[in-house]
Amino acid sequence: MSQPNAALMDAQASLEAVIKGEVVRMYQEVADKPDTEFHFYHGREAAEMFGYDPGWLERAPSGAVASFAGVGNPHARSALQQGEVVLDLGSGAGLDGIIASWQVGSAGRVIGVDLNPAMCLKAKAHAAATGTTMECHEGPMEEIPLTDASVDVVISNGVINLSFRKRRVIEEMFRVLRPGGRYSITDIVSAKQLSQSIVNDPKLWAS
Ligand SMILES: C[S@@+](CC[C@H](N)C(=O)[O-])C[C@H]1O[C@@H](n2cnc3c(N)ncnc32)[C@H](O)[C@@H]1O
């Protein structure tokens, strides 16, 4: 088997760092200035389009709804039960974590993980504003800051497509899931091979 080329690995590591920087910047902007025009659906319009229960959107803090940047509805298949431990991978401003916390109740636990510490602060504040609690750990989904087999259900919405190392994210997800655990993920896949000019463009990657 051929050895990975060191120069190629360096180039990939620096592209990954640039992409992560752009991802953090882009979704920080969605959270801070949700009224800005973005070239992807977000906020209430997106949540309604993906079939979120209108009652949830009324009950959740307006800031969490306005900053929603998911691509689908992971709650449609998560079948969360009271008392379960849920990980929201790439929890953003917290809308999905808050909805999950209502479903698992006070006997359960919702843990967000986000690369951006400012998003964790927002998610926790939004959860507190509805009288519920959501933990949030700053960290990369490629190295989830949780112990093995510590989670019943992983939910994630529009996040894994942003990773440079998607296989690693999936391995990490299965590491933290308990045996018999479940996942409900909504994300973007491309049926076509993307051109190198798209793959290497941090702005396009981040959106
Ligand atoms: C498209 S937003 C989705 C946020 C949230 N799931 C929602 O539906 O509103 C992507 C979120 O994932 C976080 N994120 C991006 N790359 C990450 C990574 N490598 N590890 C952890 N979080 C990441 C971003 O900081 C951002 O909050």
Side-chain angles (χ1 to χ4, degrees), residues 41-175:
Y41 292 106
H42 67 286
R44 179 176 289 268
E45 183 191 13
E48 284 174 352
M49 188 167 72
F50 301 142
Y52 277 54
D53 182 334
W56 291 341
L57 302 180
E58 284 313 309
R59 189 175 166 198
S62 56
V65 177
S67 301
F68 170 70
V71 299
N73 182 350
H75 310 287
R77 287 168 184 259
S78 59
L80 297 181
Q81 308 294 319
Q82 292 273 320
E84 285 189 313
V85 178
V86 180
L87 163 62
D88 182 4
L89 203 54
S91 40
L95 180 63
D96 287 323
I98 291 167
I99 293 169
S101 76
W102 294 333
Q103 293 173 320
V104 299
S106 54
R109 220 175 129 205
V110 175
I111 310 162
V113 164
D114 204 289
L115 189 61
N116 182 350
M119 298 304 274
C120 268
L121 288 176
K122 265 189 202 290
K124 287 194 288 188
H126 284 148
T130 70
T132 188
T133 46
M134 172 178 168
E135 297 166 39
C136 192
H137 299 268
E138 174 197 347
M141 59 184 153
E142 296 83 0
E143 275 163 59
I144 299 174
L146 295 179
T147 53
D148 297 358
S150 55
V151 161
D152 295 308
V153 186
V154 176
I155 60 170
S156 185
N157 196 353
V159 180
I160 298 172
N161 71 89
L162 300 172
S163 177
F164 204 73
R165 291 181 288 143
K166 297 174 179 61
R167 182 182 293 271
R168 169 77 186 171
V169 177
I170 303 298
E171 285 167 1
E172 278 292 274
M173 233 178 64
F174 280 93
R175 178 184 65 77

